[in-house]
Amino acid sequence: MDLLRHLRHFVVVAHELHFGRAAELLGMAQPPLSQSIQRLERELTVELFDRSRRQVRLTTAGELLLGEAEELLAGEGRLRNLMGQVRAGELGVLRAGVPPETPAVTLRALLDGLTTRAAGLDVELHELTTAEQVRMLAERTLDVGLVHHPVAADGLRFGAPVDVPLGVLLPRTSPLARDREVALASLAGLDLVAAPRATAPGWHDHLLAVCRQQGWRPARVRPARNPEFLFGLVLAGGAVAVEPATVARREPRVAWRPIAAAPLAKRTSAAWPDRSAHPAASMFGQLAAEVLADAEPAPPASAATSPPAARPWPVLFDTTG
């Protein structure tokens, strides 16, 4: 027996005290409505309406049931609304990962956006490398993350990607800093400072492959996890880094110059499991793409006039989900 449906019918009849009007309000014929009330009475083994007179009236049982029924139906409405918010990703806990180098202003914009779109969502933000995020997403200990491509992993769905042009970080005192752009081949003999391969293997291998294609084989690849350590290695001389322009803002003694022909761009997108995904994962991915795109400044004039580079890597992932 669908008790809630019969109670909804009862409440309308109890307020109207007229089966014909109640049937119209419910959008049903009168005979099925009468049968529904009779079914409820048989189930509860009481008479809910006094039909002995020309006017329908509630019995004592009916009067007592009305308040209880209205409270129960209101609770059902609250329950359905609550579950609807959960399905929409507006409530619950979202475990999200972001790269360690994510700027504070980007984190603030992301968290503010999540608060605006889903005020009831509790976001647990974790500082994780791409490799750590991919592993935790597979283990289902993370709901969504921001990863650097290319990512060779099955069972993941990716949000809209954001491509950030890369340039060379070098000391402002370097002769190369006098040029408006730097060819990678002109870096011969210098070391490359980059995040350890283990943090994002796909991106690390792609970076070195492009450097070789452009005529630069770094003398050494010197790992640096922390931006301050990266700056220290660059300022010590004999090494450069390939990073977005926003990184250079943190250290005034470092210059950023675009790479000739723009052969490198760092692609970042949200990633989440393609099965049993968290309801808020796609919303997080859309918001992250908007925030990352807004955080990227316009390229210098010299870079803007360069011919557009071809896609910097093969399509290894689906960005339509």
Side-chain angles (χ1 to χ4, degrees):
M1 175 183 179
D2 187 349
L3 179 61
L4 292 176
R5 179 170 65 88
H6 294 302
L7 286 175
R8 279 191 289 270
H9 294 169
F10 163 73
V11 168
V12 176
V13 176
H15 283 294
E16 293 298 320
L17 294 177
H18 191 284
F19 278 82
R21 289 195 302 268
E24 290 180 7
L25 290 173
L26 290 166
M28 61 188 300
Q30 183 173 334
L33 175 59
S34 298
Q35 294 170 8
S36 176
I37 298 301
Q38 292 168 5
R39 177 81 181 273
L40 181 62
E41 289 176 325
R42 287 197 302 271
E43 181 71 20
L44 301 179
T45 63
V46 294
E47 288 189 356
L48 300 173
F49 295 99
D50 181 358
R51 304 175 180 83
S52 62
R53 304 178 184 183
R54 300 186 64 180
Q55 183 179 0
V56 176
R57 293 187 180 183
L58 285 169
T59 63
T60 299
E63 290 175 351
L64 293 173
L65 178 62
L66 180 58
E68 296 292 333
E70 288 178 327
E71 184 176 345
L72 182 60
L73 292 173
E76 182 209 16
R78 291 191 298 270
L79 178 63
R80 290 184 180 276
N81 180 63
L82 182 66
M83 293 301 101
Q85 289 179 287
V86 172
R87 286 195 304 273
E90 298 172 0
L91 290 178
V93 177
L94 178 69
R95 301 165 299 179
V98 295
E101 71 274 13
T102 305
V105 291
T106 301
L107 289 177
R108 174 64 183 273
L110 184 59
L111 290 173
D112 286 349
L114 288 169
T115 299
T116 300
R117 299 189 185 192
L121 189 65
D122 182 10
V123 181
E124 291 183 1
L125 212 56
H126 301 273
E127 183 184 42
L128 299 166
T129 67
T130 291
E132 290 170 334
Q133 292 183 52
V134 169
R135 174 179 56 79
M136 293 177 66
L137 288 168
E139 296 171 351
R140 299 304 177 97
T141 54
L142 194 70
D143 298 313
V144 65
L146 287 180
V147 299
H148 297 317
H149 293 279
V151 173
D154 297 326
L156 292 181
R157 177 171 294 188
F158 299 93
V162 175
D163 289 344
V164 178
L166 300 184
V168 179
L169 290 183
L170 62 165
R172 288 194 175 275
T173 55
S174 169
L176 292 172
R178 301 170 188 168
D179 300 327
R180 298 186 65 180
E181 61 181 22
V182 174
L184 289 178
S186 67
L187 302 177
L190 295 176
D191 294 344
L192 171 65
V193 182
R197 183 182 184 276
T199 63
W203 165 248
H204 189 274
D205 294 345
H206 171 71
L207 171 61
L208 292 181
V210 172
C211 289
R212 289 193 296 268
Q213 291 168 6
Q214 296 290 316
W216 176 38
R217 290 182 176 272
R220 285 186 300 171
V221 179
R222 307 175 69 174
R225 290 178 178 268
N226 187 289
E228 295 302 319
F229 187 62
L230 180 147
F231 293 142
L233 293 177
V234 170
L235 291 172
V240 297
V242 178
E243 297 287 343
T246 51
V247 175
R249 296 176 182 173
R250 308 182 190 185
E251 175 51 68
R253 294 171 294 175
V254 165
W256 183 90
R257 295 294 179 265
I259 302 172
L264 279 167
K266 180 169 283 189
R267 171 166 290 188
T268 304
S269 79
W272 61 91
D274 61 0
R275 294 180 181 273
S276 303
H278 191 288
S282 59
M283 181 267 290
F284 178 94
Q286 179 182 358
L287 175 62
E290 296 171 3
V291 169
L292 291 175
D294 290 342
E296 175 58 25
S302 58
T305 57
S306 300
R311 182 186 293 272
W313 44 70
V315 178
L316 300 177
F317 50 91
D318 175 22
T319 60
T320 61

